[in-house]
């Protein structure tokens, strides 16, 4: 049984290493995706603002040319007023002139508004471009880190997986099932050493009688509180620290 305990503890060490490798990569893919999304989102915002500036300037230019046309009309009406045959014609022209002058005033105000709108959008674009630069730098960093970790962890991962496969062939199915069940329930830690008379998983005190029995390595002991398999210092020392 001593050997079985040793095997289970060795398996625990390998799995802890595999978990760690997985965790190392675990955050980076998500962070890379988040960085990609940020860049895409900023690019979309920039495209929208660029469009806004374009349409705003187009509207401003249209107002500008309308003003020119309206001013020409005003001059034409004024000229026509000099040659009217009666008051009715004169009044009709005055009405036209009033209308064109009012419209010019309205369009001039509109041009100012449009100009202001475009200026604000251009400032927003500047801010977004700075943000985009930072986001792209971050994305490059995340991509590089992910590539490096993947390259780094690949060999280690294979090594541990190979070790694991070899090891589990030698472990009885019952023990393996128990191990997997506890591991799943206890966030990856199924086998823990005794630490200063306490369970290495939940730090609950191990009763003195059990501590004595544990040293004999003749039975599988589980923590009364967390249910993890507890192994003696001797097992830990003989298995060594694979980690
Ligand atoms: Zn415990």
């Amino acid at each position: 049984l001593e050997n079985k305990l040793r095997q289970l503890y060795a398996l625990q060490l390998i799995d802890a290493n595999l978990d760690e490798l997985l965790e190392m990569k675990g955050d980076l893919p998500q962070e890379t995706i988040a960085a990609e999304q940020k860049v895409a989102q900023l690019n979309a915002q920039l495209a929208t603002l660029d469009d806004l500036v374009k349409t705003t300037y187009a509207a401003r230019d249209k107002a500008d040319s309308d003003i020119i046309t309206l001013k020409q009309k005003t001059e034409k009406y004024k000229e026509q007023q000099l040659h009217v045959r009666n008051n009715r014609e004169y009044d009709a022209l005055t009405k036209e002139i009033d209308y064109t002058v009012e419209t010019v005033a309205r369009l001039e105000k509109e041009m100012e508004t449009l100009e202001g709108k475009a200026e604000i959008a251009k400032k927003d674009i500047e801010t977004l471009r700075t943000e985009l630069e930072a986001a792209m730098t971050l994305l490059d960093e995340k991509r590089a880190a992910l590539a490096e970790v993947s390259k780094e962890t690949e060999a280690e991962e294979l090594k541990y997986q190979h070790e694991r496969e070899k090891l589990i062939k030698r472990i009885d199915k019952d023990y393996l099932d128990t191990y997997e069940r506890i591991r799943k329930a206890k966030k990856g830690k199924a086998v823990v050493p005794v630490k200063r008379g306490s369970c290495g998983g939940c730090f609950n005190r191990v009763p003195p009688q059990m501590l004595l029995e544990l040293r004999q390595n003749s039975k599988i002991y589980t923590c009364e509180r967390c249910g993890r398999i507890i192994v003696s210092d001797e097992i830990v020392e003989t298995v060594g620290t694979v980690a």
Side-chain angles (χ1 to χ4, degrees):
L1 194 101
E2 197 177 324
N3 205 35
K4 292 190 192 313
L5 286 170
R6 221 170 260 140
Q7 287 168 345
L8 284 179
Y9 187 64
L11 182 61
Q12 175 67 75
L13 291 179
I14 290 169
D15 281 342
N17 281 317
L18 280 169
D19 285 348
E20 209 178 294
L21 291 176
L22 210 73
E23 223 174 274
M24 273 168 73
K25 255 196 303 190
D27 283 350
L28 278 172
Q30 278 173 324
E31 284 169 3
T32 308
I33 289 167
E36 275 167 2
Q37 282 169 344
K38 182 76 186 166
V39 168
Q41 181 212 329
L42 287 171
N43 271 323
Q45 274 178 285
L46 272 170
T48 308
L49 280 178
D50 279 337
D51 273 352
L52 182 69
V53 170
K54 260 184 223 154
T55 51
T56 306
Y57 278 145
R60 183 205 59 185
D61 292 346
K62 169 82 166 54
D64 199 23
S65 75
D66 284 352
I67 287 169
I68 293 166
T69 311
L70 284 166
K71 278 182 175 168
Q72 282 167 352
K73 269 188 188 170
T74 311
E75 289 313 306
K76 201 182 82 193
Y77 295 145
K78 278 182 182 166
E79 168 70 19
Q80 281 171 357
Q81 265 184 337
L82 300 175
H83 311 289
V84 290
R85 282 164 299 178
N86 53 50
N87 278 343
R88 200 175 49 81
E89 272 182 25
Y90 187 90
D91 289 346
L93 283 167
T94 303
K95 251 180 148 181
E96 289 296 338
I97 290 165
D98 285 350
Y99 173 74
T100 50
V101 169
E102 268 167 37
T103 309
V104 165
R106 181 176 58 77
L107 286 175
E108 275 170 350
K109 216 169 171 192
E110 209 174 291
M111 273 181 74
E112 255 176 62
T113 310
L114 288 167
E115 194 77 48
K117 199 172 151 187
E119 287 307 312
I120 290 168
K122 276 161 85 178
K123 279 209 179 94
D124 288 345
I125 285 172
E126 264 176 57
T127 311
L128 281 177
R129 285 219 173 107
T130 313
E131 268 184 65
L132 180 62
E133 247 175 70
M136 277 164 67
T137 307
L138 185 73
L139 178 58
D140 284 346
E141 282 168 10
K142 292 292 171 197
R143 275 182 178 156
L146 181 61
E148 205 172 300
V149 168
S150 298
K151 205 174 69 188
E152 238 176 64
T153 55
E154 208 180 6
E156 264 188 289
E157 230 177 288
L158 280 172
K159 188 189 87 181
Y160 289 128
Q161 267 160 7
H162 184 63
E163 278 177 22
R164 191 181 203 278
E165 270 165 42
K166 272 200 306 188
L167 186 59
I168 57 171
K169 273 181 204 153
R170 284 155 41 204
I171 302 176
D172 291 344
K173 198 181 175 298
D174 282 355
Y175 287 120
L176 199 61
D177 287 349
T178 306
Y179 169 86
E180 295 290 9
R181 183 172 44 77
I182 303 173
R183 202 172 117 75
K184 213 172 161 187
K186 296 294 166 190
K187 289 176 184 151
K189 265 190 179 177
V191 187
V192 291
V194 180
K195 273 182 186 162
R196 290 194 208 98
S198 297
C199 161
C202 71
F203 308 107
N204 193 43
R205 277 209 89 68
V206 177
Q209 181 61 31
M210 196 164 132
L211 274 179
L212 283 174
E213 288 169 15
L214 256 172
R215 291 200 188 108
Q216 292 161 18
N217 302 315
S218 56
K219 199 180 150 209
I220 287 190
Y221 287 95
T222 52
C223 170
E224 288 172 334
R225 195 210 234 166
C226 71
R228 291 184 178 99
I229 297 164
I230 303 178
V231 291
S232 66
D233 288 340
E234 199 214 326
I235 297 289
V236 172
E237 279 158 24
T238 49
V239 169
T241 43
V242 179

